[in-house]
Amino acid sequence: MVVGDASLDIDLLVIGAGPGGYVAAIRAAQLGKSVLIVDKSDWGGVCLNRGCIPSKALISAAHTYEHAQHADSMGISVDNVKVDFAKVQEWKNGIVKKQTGGVNALLKGNKIQMFQGEVMFINENEARVFNDQEAPRYRFQNCIIATGSRPIELKAFPYGGRIISSTEALNLPEIPKSMVVIGGGYIGIELGQTFAKFGTKVTVLEGSDHVLPGFEKELTKLVARNLEKIGVEVHTEALAQSSVKNENDVTVTFTVKGEEKQITADYVLVTVGRRPNTDGELGLDLINMKLTDRGLIEVDNQGRTSIPHIFAIGDVVPGLALAHKASYEAKVAAEAIAGLPSVVDYKAMPAVVFSDPEIASVGLNETEAKEKGYNVTIGKFPYAANGRANSLNAGQGFVKLVGDKETGLLLGGQVVGPEASNLIGELALAIEMAANLEDIALTIHAHPTLTEMVMDAAEGALGHPIHQLGK
Ligand SMILES: Cc1cc2nc3c(=O)[nH]c(=O)nc-3n(C[C@H](O)[C@H](O)[C@H](O)COP(=O)(O)OP(=O)(O)OC[C@H]3O[C@@H](n4cnc5c(N)ncnc54)[C@H](O)[C@@H]3O)c2cc1C
């Protein structure tokens, strides 16, 4: 492949094959570009291999186990429900393999050159790609950096042995007896709740005054209650201070409002955020790429960096570190490179936590809308009043719509409850289409479905709810 040290010419070099990189490569190929995509690890990136997909698989398995144990309220009793965790892991790994195989097939099917290796910039127009066998050099017209992120390591809790990140937590060979989770954000809560359902004694240490601090307290209350129900001990306003690692356990010292406490567990899972992969071997310093003080790559509304023919997307740029954000930015950047006038617009960017119950949000919440000066109207509809929710034995939660009282425009929506992750899709579409509350209320929603709650909440916000009294 390499001819001496001469550079091979390509239109577009995509670095990283996560939901940012592989989507950008496919969109650019559709638009006629010759594309080389390189990943030093696995096709599908963090999301498919060590993030969204394996975590959701474990969450589903834990749900299934829990439902089997507690189906007696529906008149079904199952004796002797057991978890074979090795089989759970095997099943999860099979799903990851299927999904990553799909990405591989899509890249090949779109005639995208694929190379497994690590990219290092030589200058603004050339990069070298290293693996064990070869180190070809490429000259590119455009480049998209989609190198993603990795877990932040706390100095007092160095990874290794019994102190683990989400990556190791997803691959534990057996269910631990106990686990301390440092960080009650979405990754910590999803994984902590999952292991607790499998039988692990979980303790969560969260620095702010409620778990899932990125969401309004009103939305997180039900999750906090369910955590308590399954025996998860949550310490809020808690600061993890130090650790003593042994072969079989770790002792964590932490403070809660100044009071020092200690706890010993099989594992400590640190989930305090993620750091962009913009340092190290990639060589962004060699090309003087402009970064923020958090190490994120500064981009314009097409994903263009301070070097105009190099773009960046996903977890390496500011904003939420979410797979669908990466894929969205990927399409915009690929289209911009192809000369299309695409730009990003984040107003309908959903965020979902696959906790129990799920939490999902899109657009502005009530506080944000008020801060922006809107005179808001709120429609809130409880799962308990929805026929389908009750027939699913899923009567916990609510749908909340935030509308502009003057124009009726839907500004945002939040859902907490089973299938919130799916319900949020309708609200994202409504915001994207600039729908108003009346559009939603007039849309015929099939009965009996959870989606009827969206219509009911819109009617509530308009002041004429059918399935609620006292409005
Ligand atoms: C446990 C967990 C659960 C998550 N759950 C969700 C969820 O439910 N929903 C959601 O939206 N998001 C979720 N996320 C976040 C999501 O995984 C990320 O936001 C998403 O993967 C970011 O995509 P990306 O393309 O920017 O980067 P990544 O997916 O991180 O991919 C970057 C790729 O670049 C490669 N790379 C890095 N440096 C180089 C180099 N120099 N040369 C070559 N290759 C390189 C890496 O090997 C990697 O494959 C989760 C994350 C975790 C950890």
Short mmCIF file of all heavy atoms in Angstrom, two decimals, residues 338-359:
data_model
loop_
_atom_site.label_atom_id
_atom_site.label_comp_id
_atom_site.label_asym_id
_atom_site.label_seq_id
_atom_site.Cartn_x
_atom_site.Cartn_y
_atom_site.Cartn_z
N ALA A 338 -19.08 19.12 1.08
CA ALA A 338 -19.55 18.93 -0.30
C ALA A 338 -20.15 20.22 -0.87
O ALA A 338 -20.71 20.21 -1.97
CB ALA A 338 -20.57 17.80 -0.33
N GLY A 339 -20.07 21.31 -0.11
CA GLY A 339 -20.52 22.60 -0.64
C GLY A 339 -21.98 22.91 -0.39
O GLY A 339 -22.51 23.88 -0.94
N LEU A 340 -22.65 22.09 0.41
CA LEU A 340 -24.06 22.37 0.70
C LEU A 340 -24.16 23.40 1.85
O LEU A 340 -23.26 23.49 2.67
CB LEU A 340 -24.79 21.08 1.09
CG LEU A 340 -24.82 19.98 0.01
CD1 LEU A 340 -25.49 18.72 0.53
CD2 LEU A 340 -25.54 20.48 -1.24
N PRO A 341 -25.28 24.13 1.91
CA PRO A 341 -25.36 25.20 2.93
C PRO A 341 -25.84 24.73 4.31
O PRO A 341 -26.44 25.50 5.06
CB PRO A 341 -26.38 26.15 2.30
CG PRO A 341 -27.26 25.28 1.48
CD PRO A 341 -26.44 24.12 1.00
N SER A 342 -25.61 23.47 4.67
CA SER A 342 -26.10 22.93 5.96
C SER A 342 -25.43 23.62 7.15
O SER A 342 -24.23 23.88 7.11
CB SER A 342 -25.80 21.44 6.04
OG SER A 342 -26.20 20.80 4.87
N VAL A 343 -26.22 23.85 8.20
CA VAL A 343 -25.67 24.37 9.46
C VAL A 343 -26.37 23.66 10.62
O VAL A 343 -27.49 23.17 10.47
CB VAL A 343 -25.86 25.90 9.64
CG1 VAL A 343 -25.00 26.69 8.70
CG2 VAL A 343 -27.32 26.29 9.51
N VAL A 344 -25.72 23.63 11.78
CA VAL A 344 -26.35 22.96 12.93
C VAL A 344 -27.39 23.88 13.59
O VAL A 344 -27.26 25.09 13.57
CB VAL A 344 -25.32 22.54 14.01
CG1 VAL A 344 -24.44 21.42 13.53
CG2 VAL A 344 -24.50 23.72 14.50
N ASP A 345 -28.41 23.25 14.13
CA ASP A 345 -29.42 23.95 14.92
C ASP A 345 -29.80 22.97 16.03
O ASP A 345 -30.38 21.93 15.77
CB ASP A 345 -30.64 24.27 14.05
CG ASP A 345 -31.77 24.89 14.85
OD1 ASP A 345 -31.62 25.03 16.08
OD2 ASP A 345 -32.82 25.21 14.26
N TYR A 346 -29.43 23.32 17.26
CA TYR A 346 -29.58 22.37 18.36
C TYR A 346 -30.91 22.48 19.11
O TYR A 346 -31.06 21.89 20.16
CB TYR A 346 -28.43 22.55 19.36
CG TYR A 346 -27.06 22.24 18.80
CD1 TYR A 346 -26.10 23.23 18.66
CD2 TYR A 346 -26.73 20.94 18.43
CE1 TYR A 346 -24.84 22.95 18.16
CE2 TYR A 346 -25.47 20.64 17.92
CZ TYR A 346 -24.54 21.65 17.78
OH TYR A 346 -23.30 21.35 17.29
N LYS A 347 -31.86 23.25 18.56
CA LYS A 347 -33.04 23.51 19.41
C LYS A 347 -33.88 22.24 19.66
O LYS A 347 -34.60 22.17 20.63
CB LYS A 347 -33.87 24.68 18.88
CG LYS A 347 -34.75 24.40 17.70
CD LYS A 347 -35.66 25.61 17.44
CE LYS A 347 -36.60 25.38 16.28
NZ LYS A 347 -35.92 25.18 14.99
N ALA A 348 -33.75 21.26 18.78
CA ALA A 348 -34.53 20.03 19.00
C ALA A 348 -33.61 18.84 19.32
O ALA A 348 -33.81 17.74 18.83
CB ALA A 348 -35.39 19.74 17.79
N MET A 349 -32.60 19.08 20.16
CA MET A 349 -31.65 18.01 20.52
C MET A 349 -32.15 17.28 21.77
O MET A 349 -32.17 17.86 22.86
CB MET A 349 -30.28 18.64 20.79
CG MET A 349 -29.19 17.66 21.17
SD MET A 349 -28.76 16.52 19.83
CE MET A 349 -28.12 17.64 18.60
N PRO A 350 -32.59 16.04 21.62
CA PRO A 350 -33.07 15.33 22.81
C PRO A 350 -31.95 14.78 23.68
O PRO A 350 -30.82 14.60 23.21
CB PRO A 350 -33.89 14.17 22.22
CG PRO A 350 -33.39 14.00 20.84
CD PRO A 350 -32.71 15.26 20.39
N ALA A 351 -32.26 14.55 24.94
CA ALA A 351 -31.34 13.87 25.86
C ALA A 351 -32.15 12.84 26.64
O ALA A 351 -33.26 13.14 27.09
CB ALA A 351 -30.71 14.88 26.82
N VAL A 352 -31.61 11.65 26.73
CA VAL A 352 -32.35 10.56 27.38
C VAL A 352 -31.49 9.89 28.44
O VAL A 352 -30.30 9.69 28.23
CB VAL A 352 -32.77 9.49 26.33
CG1 VAL A 352 -33.41 8.29 27.01
CG2 VAL A 352 -33.69 10.07 25.28
N VAL A 353 -32.08 9.57 29.56
CA VAL A 353 -31.41 8.73 30.56
C VAL A 353 -32.20 7.43 30.64
O VAL A 353 -33.41 7.45 30.85
CB VAL A 353 -31.41 9.38 31.96
CG1 VAL A 353 -30.58 8.53 32.92
CG2 VAL A 353 -30.88 10.79 31.91
N PHE A 354 -31.50 6.31 30.46
CA PHE A 354 -32.18 5.01 30.49
C PHE A 354 -32.19 4.47 31.92
O PHE A 354 -31.81 3.33 32.18
CB PHE A 354 -31.52 4.05 29.49
CG PHE A 354 -31.79 4.43 28.07
CD1 PHE A 354 -31.05 5.43 27.45
CD2 PHE A 354 -32.80 3.81 27.34
CE1 PHE A 354 -31.31 5.80 26.14
CE2 PHE A 354 -33.06 4.18 26.02
CZ PHE A 354 -32.32 5.18 25.42
N SER A 355 -32.62 5.34 32.82
CA SER A 355 -32.78 4.95 34.22
C SER A 355 -34.15 4.28 34.34
O SER A 355 -34.88 4.14 33.37
CB SER A 355 -32.71 6.20 35.09
OG SER A 355 -33.54 7.22 34.55
N ASP A 356 -34.50 3.91 35.57
CA ASP A 356 -35.83 3.36 35.80
C ASP A 356 -36.54 4.25 36.79
O ASP A 356 -36.17 4.27 37.97
CB ASP A 356 -35.71 1.94 36.34
CG ASP A 356 -37.06 1.29 36.54
OD1 ASP A 356 -38.08 1.92 36.18
OD2 ASP A 356 -37.11 0.15 37.05
N PRO A 357 -37.57 5.01 36.40
CA PRO A 357 -38.06 5.13 35.04
C PRO A 357 -37.15 6.01 34.19
O PRO A 357 -36.32 6.75 34.72
CB PRO A 357 -39.42 5.80 35.22
CG PRO A 357 -39.31 6.60 36.46
CD PRO A 357 -38.37 5.85 37.35
N GLU A 358 -37.35 5.90 32.87
CA GLU A 358 -36.53 6.70 31.95
C GLU A 358 -36.87 8.18 32.06
O GLU A 358 -38.00 8.55 32.41
CB GLU A 358 -36.80 6.24 30.51
CG GLU A 358 -36.31 4.84 30.24
CD GLU A 358 -36.64 4.33 28.85
OE1 GLU A 358 -37.36 5.02 28.09
OE2 GLU A 358 -36.19 3.23 28.51
N ILE A 359 -35.88 9.00 31.74
CA ILE A 359 -36.08 10.45 31.70
C ILE A 359 -35.68 10.92 30.31
O ILE A 359 -34.65 10.49 29.78
CB ILE A 359 -35.19 11.16 32.73
CG1 ILE A 359 -35.65 10.82 34.15
CG2 ILE A 359 -35.20 12.67 32.54
CD1 ILE A 359 -34.86 11.51 35.24
#
